[in-house]
Amino acid sequence: MALTPTLAPGPQTADAGRSARGRRGRVKTPPHRRDNRTAYLMIAPMVILLGIFVMWPLVYSVYLSTYEINFYRGSTFVGLQFYRYVLESPDFWHSIVVGLYYSALTVPAMIIIALLLASFIKTLSRRAAAFMKTTVYLPTVVSTVVASVLFVLIYQDEGVANWLLSLISFGPVNWLNDPQLALPAIAVPGIWLGFGLTTLILLAALLDIPESYYEQAALDGAGFFARLWYVTLPLLKNVLLYLFVTGFTLAIQMIDLPLIMTNGGPSEATNTPNLYIFNTFRDVTPYATSYSLTASLLLFVVIGAISAVVFRLVRSDKAIDG
Amino acid sequence: MGKRHIASAFAVSTVLVASLGLAACGGSDEAGKTADGKTVVTFWQQQFEDYQQAWFKKQVDAYNSSQDKVKVQIQVVPADTWAQKLKAAQAAGNAPDVATTSYGNIPAGAANGELAELDGLLPAEAFTDIKDNVKSFVTINGKHYAYPMLVEPSTVLYYRKDLVQAAGLDPANPPKTWAELSTWATKLTQGKVKGMTIASVPADLGWSSWGLQYNACGHLPVADDWSKSVASDACFGQLLDFYKGLYQSGVMPKQPKVGYADGSPYGNGEVAMMAGGSWVVGQLKNEFPKMIDKTAVAAFPSMDGDQTKPTATLGGWTLSVDGKSKVKEQAAGFIGWLLAGDPAIMADFFKSSGFSKYTVRATVDQALETNPDATADPFMKTISEQVVPFGKAEPAYPWEIALAFGTAIESAMKGNADVPAALKKADGEINDIIKKQSLAGTAPVR
């Protein structure tokens, strides 16, 4: 590939600016400074909004978590007591395990299905590809609530899932009320809802890989799997990392599906972290308010820590350009 | 980018931030007066059966037109969003002046200062009209924190007379013990129709099993002074075995489509018997009228057949005034008019309910005595004579304790743990709740 000439102001430009200022005292602001100022102004609304709606509430939440909150009689300072309560709670850690299990069930499956579909769509004609892209994206625009209700019906004793099993003289299976099966059963609509967007992102990434790489690899005698392993996957690494981290972050925070389909049961088998916190918050005691607040903050730390570990394990290269 | 563009970008960002800030700060409640000078009383009604929404609206309209000083603004709030919506409003200082409050939430609400004392706000004779056993439900340390509206037993047995007869059983002689109930459920399970339905998830088991917890052990799984858990008492094992037997023998639906409070599986003919609250009578009358003639009700069977032991708690609803309300007097005035005033108003409510709920005032009973529909209703007679007199008050301890015990029942039912292990886990969890919430010795004096 031809090298693209750099357009960014290089060191020489910056030196020229400094020397000009040195010679003439007050001079026009250098172009890159003006660009910086413009950039700061452009991101200012987002930074201000983040400050108001994210950073300040976060700081204030940490402050509030040191109190047992009572909206009527005044709050009592309890220091880090609620952090200890949450960290000691087996239910909190169980919910984290459930969240991780749900992520493990959904994210890799979603990425693999999406990669296969994207590879397939890439081989299609323009018109067929357009049809397929629309088709695979459709579940993404379905409301989670609607999908939940739909799958609850599918999983009923007389539902489609058990009807299919009955064709091979099996079942009926107690999909949503068996502690071993409930989370995998919920993961299915989770994958269904998410794979459309993942497919489109992977398709865009696949199309970005120059065809000449594959031609060269084919000339060197590489088969399908060799091309996949040595060409496709390395060049998709950053996109896959992005999909993995964002998919994981979303999956561990899943609340809608288990809330509607099982309300965390049976025997807390689908009690994801956010659902656990939500149900704790609904209780009327001041204890419950402070406990759920502290659990939310600790969940934030846990998700952040796991994401950091993922980034470290799957090292992101700055750019593997084609 | 030129200066003009920079200025434009800055202006746009300023306007955006300012408008969002204004949007966030706007909408605060002002003054609490209508344009014509009436004091506004906000009233949140938890959403119940459809006829209740209609009845509350009718009465609020009647109250608003009966005087020119107060305007009550009613808002219906769905049950599944009630807790978070109310808590958010309390945090913002916008809690409603009047709210529907269940008996179980009164002790915690009074302890936290969320509920105003009604003694100085309503005339003393309003409280003397309340039946003695119900009076204790709204009284903490001698003070009244809510005015009761109704009671409804949490657990009654409904059964299909036609199916019972077809199975060779006697509809006039319903099961008296848990063992007999299991036998009936087995015989009534035919094809797609299951013999029985009862709660099977912790959120339902937590409260619907209170009466049966009393039945099995004579007490709930917490010591009376809330000092320790007694969930591992052997008698609770028999209760868990009962639920486990029903679930694992396949005589009840393993994947219920609706929660315990909803009687539609019975109404739709999917089950032959149902454990349900008395409110299901109203649901059957309104939504499944064809099922009425085929249905009989009985007190839920007792562990040992003793029908004088409790099998249900008397749940129900009250109206309360918010502890921070600026219009407590007007709010209490509305409650007094609606619940403690003319007995004909509440008699109308019980008629609308299909006599599926039970009165809390002597004068309302008297008003209903002259109503032939009330005296002739077979369901009302059975429930009021065989269930209500033995019903117990809902416990006042935090919901987490009830949920821990409900989870133990579910674990046993679904085979996630054997009965002793499930009870041991609940015992540990309840002791942990007692310790962390400093509950020992805080049981309210009713």
Side-chain angles (χ1 to χ4, degrees):
Chain A
M1 283 190 87
L3 287 171
T4 312
T6 177
L7 296 174
Q12 288 176 345
T13 323
D15 285 346
R18 273 201 293 274
S19 58
R21 175 180 282 193
R23 279 199 303 272
R24 287 187 283 167
R26 191 174 175 194
V27 291
K28 274 177 69 177
T29 310
H32 76 281
R33 292 261 173 90
R34 283 208 305 274
D35 287 349
N36 281 351
R37 196 195 298 161
T38 309
Y40 286 132
L41 280 171
M42 296 294 276
I43 63 168
M46 192 48 71
V47 170
I48 293 168
L49 291 175
L50 273 174
I52 295 171
F53 292 110
V54 178
M55 298 313 295
W56 169 242
L58 188 64
V59 171
Y60 193 58
S61 298
V62 173
Y63 165 74
L64 282 179
S65 68
T66 58
Y67 285 83
E68 184 167 88
I69 302 163
N70 187 323
F71 303 126
Y72 286 78
R73 294 208 191 284
S75 302
T76 316
F77 180 74
V78 292
L80 299 178
Q81 190 185 61
F82 278 99
Y83 287 89
R84 187 164 64 81
Y85 286 170
V86 175
L87 292 173
E88 280 177 1
S89 166
D91 290 340
F92 175 73
W93 291 111
H94 174 74
S95 74
I96 299 282
V97 171
V98 170
L100 289 173
Y101 182 31
Y102 177 79
S103 308
L105 287 170
T106 52
V107 179
M110 204 154 61
I111 291 177
I112 290 168
I113 293 170
L115 188 57
L116 291 173
L117 268 170
S119 304
F120 172 65
I121 294 172
K122 194 185 162 194
T123 63
L124 297 176
S125 67
R126 196 186 176 101
R127 182 173 290 185
F131 173 75
M132 277 300 290
K133 278 190 275 186
T134 311
T135 309
V136 298
Y137 193 70
L138 269 181
T140 310
V141 297
V142 172
S143 145
T144 320
V145 177
V146 173
S148 303
V149 174
L150 197 65
F151 274 83
V152 165
L153 294 174
I154 288 172
Y155 288 135
Q156 287 298 308
D157 286 345
E158 309 84 17
V160 175
N162 279 325
W163 174 76
L164 286 172
L165 286 180
S166 71
L167 297 179
I168 52 168
S169 305
F170 196 74
V173 172
N174 193 6
W175 296 103
L176 294 178
N177 240 341
D178 182 326
Q180 310 299 325
L181 288 177
L183 199 65
I186 285 180
V188 173
I191 293 167
W192 184 71
L193 286 166
F195 82 88
L197 187 62
T198 311
T199 304
L200 291 193
I201 291 172
L202 277 173
L203 179 62
L206 280 177
L207 291 172
D208 210 30
I209 299 173
E211 204 54 40
S212 57
Y213 283 23
Y214 291 107
E215 288 165 5
Q216 181 66 49
L219 285 175
D220 290 344
F224 172 78
F225 288 106
R227 290 202 297 273
L228 180 73
W229 188 254
Y230 291 109
V231 179
T232 310
L233 288 181
L235 290 173
L236 287 181
K237 189 176 169 186
N238 284 341
V239 175
L240 288 173
L241 176 69
Y242 165 78
L243 289 173
F244 191 80
V245 172
T246 53
F248 164 79
T249 316
L250 284 174
I252 200 172
Q253 296 189 72
M254 171 52 74
I255 182 169
D256 323 40
L257 292 171
L259 173 69
I260 297 164
M261 294 176 75
T262 56
N263 197 19
S267 302
E268 298 173 0
T270 59
N271 207 11
T272 54
N274 273 352
L275 182 57
Y276 168 70
I277 291 167
F278 176 69
N279 280 333
T280 312
F281 176 76
R282 286 159 58 91
D283 210 0
V284 294
T285 57
Y287 173 90
T289 310
S290 304
Y291 183 92
S292 54
L293 168 64
T294 313
S296 310
L297 292 171
L298 284 171
L299 177 65
F300 174 76
V301 172
V302 168
I303 293 175
I306 295 174
S307 299
V309 169
V310 172
F311 271 113
R312 197 155 189 89
L313 288 178
V314 190
R315 278 173 35 208
S316 167
D317 291 326
K318 205 171 176 185
I320 304 174
D321 196 9
Chain B
M1 186 179 278
K3 275 186 178 174
R4 185 180 295 175
H5 286 99
I6 294 172
S8 304
F10 185 74
V12 167
S13 57
T14 308
V15 168
L16 187 63
V17 171
S19 61
L20 278 162
L22 286 172
C25 300
S28 62
D29 194 16
E30 290 289 332
K33 291 266 185 191
T34 61
D36 54 355
K38 288 182 182 175
T39 303
V40 173
V41 170
T42 52
F43 169 31
W44 283 10
Q45 180 229 322
Q46 187 162 321
Q47 188 171 18
F48 301 112
E49 302 94 322
D50 291 344
Y51 69 82
Q52 288 210 47
Q53 275 70 258
W55 183 84
F56 272 112
K57 186 174 182 314
K58 181 177 81 174
Q59 297 302 340
V60 165
D61 289 344
Y63 180 72
N64 286 338
S65 53
S66 72
Q67 41 74 45
D68 55 6
K69 291 193 167 55
V70 175
K71 179 175 170 56
V72 176
Q73 287 181 341
I74 186 170
Q75 185 180 351
V76 178
V77 179
D80 54 355
T81 60
W82 177 272
Q84 55 268 37
K85 189 173 165 70
L86 181 64
K87 199 175 268 195
Q90 288 173 338
N94 290 333
D97 301 307
V98 177
T100 44
T101 303
S102 70
Y103 292 120
N105 282 338
I106 291 172
N112 297 336
E114 292 164 22
L115 306 181
E117 280 177 31
L118 295 184
D119 296 86
L121 300 170
L122 287 175
E125 55 268 24
F127 296 106
T128 55
D129 194 21
I130 303 171
K131 294 176 183 175
D132 284 342
N133 63 331
V134 180
K135 208 177 283 181
S136 66
F137 298 178
V138 293
T139 308
I140 310 289
N141 295 325
K143 305 279 185 191
H144 299 94
Y145 286 90
Y147 200 91
M149 182 174 177
L150 57 96
V151 291
E152 42 192 359
S154 58
T155 312
V156 175
L157 181 68
Y158 296 80
Y159 59 95
R160 286 272 299 273
K161 291 183 284 188
D162 53 337
L163 297 181
V164 164
Q165 198 138 28
L169 299 162
D170 180 8
N173 190 21
K176 300 281 188 298
T177 66
W178 291 352
E180 285 174 20
L181 182 74
S182 299
T183 307
W184 271 49
T186 306
K187 288 186 176 173
L188 287 167
T189 301
Q190 301 285 341
K192 286 187 174 177
V193 177
K194 297 286 184 187
M196 173 80 198
T197 182
I198 196 167
S200 62
V201 297
D204 288 338
L205 286 163
W207 59 272
S208 66
S209 69
W210 280 327
L212 300 180
Q213 292 170 31
Y214 274 115
N215 193 277
C217 291
H219 57 78
L220 295 166
V222 181
D224 287 344
D225 61 355
W226 295 1
S227 60
K228 61 174 182 173
S229 163
V230 290
S232 52
D233 283 6
C235 46
F236 286 121
Q238 291 171 282
L239 176 68
L240 267 61
D241 281 331
F242 165 63
Y243 274 99
K244 181 182 173 181
L246 287 176
Y247 187 84
Q248 296 197 350
S249 62
V251 298
M252 60 179 280
K254 291 200 170 176
Q255 299 196 87
K257 297 184 186 77
V258 293
Y260 175 83
D262 190 335
S264 53
Y266 179 86
N268 287 323
E270 295 163 20
V271 293
M273 292 193 291
M274 174 181 61
S278 67
W279 55 86
V280 175
V281 170
Q283 187 182 7
L284 294 177
K285 285 181 177 174
N286 286 312
E287 296 173 29
F288 306 98
K290 288 181 182 166
M291 205 54 93
I292 292 296
D293 288 341
K294 299 175 186 170
T295 297
V297 299
F300 197 82
S302 185
M303 188 170 78
D304 57 5
D306 183 350
Q307 295 287 283
T308 63
K309 285 184 178 173
T311 51
T313 43
L314 298 180
W317 294 90
T318 69
L319 292 185
S320 61
V321 175
D322 185 70
K324 279 187 179 173
S325 169
K326 295 187 177 79
V327 289
K328 288 191 182 79
E329 204 172 311
Q330 291 86 342
F334 167 64
I335 293 175
W337 178 87
L338 184 69
L339 302 185
D342 182 358
I345 294 177
M346 284 311 296
D348 179 58
F349 172 81
F350 291 107
K351 190 180 173 196
S352 303
S353 79
F355 306 106
S356 62
K357 301 174 194 300
Y358 297 87
T359 68
V360 294
R361 289 167 53 201
T363 49
V364 178
D365 276 346
Q366 288 161 13
L368 285 174
E369 275 171 11
T370 56
N371 185 322
D373 292 339
T375 48
D377 190 279
F379 303 127
M380 186 179 186
K381 184 175 167 59
T382 305
I383 294 173
S384 59
E385 290 178 4
Q386 296 177 25
V387 183
V388 174
F390 310 112
K392 301 285 274 187
E394 290 183 344
Y397 50 61
W399 169 244
E400 288 105 314
I401 291 179
L403 197 60
F405 198 81
T407 304
I409 301 176
E410 190 204 34
S411 296
M413 290 171 92
K414 294 171 186 174
N416 217 33
D418 61 26
V419 169
L423 287 175
K424 191 177 171 198
K425 184 167 183 278
D427 192 64
E429 285 180 359
I430 293 171
N431 276 327
D432 192 47
I433 295 163
I434 288 171
K435 183 181 151 206
K436 287 179 176 168
Q437 302 200 29
S438 309
L439 295 178
T442 62
V445 180
R446 283 172 148 173

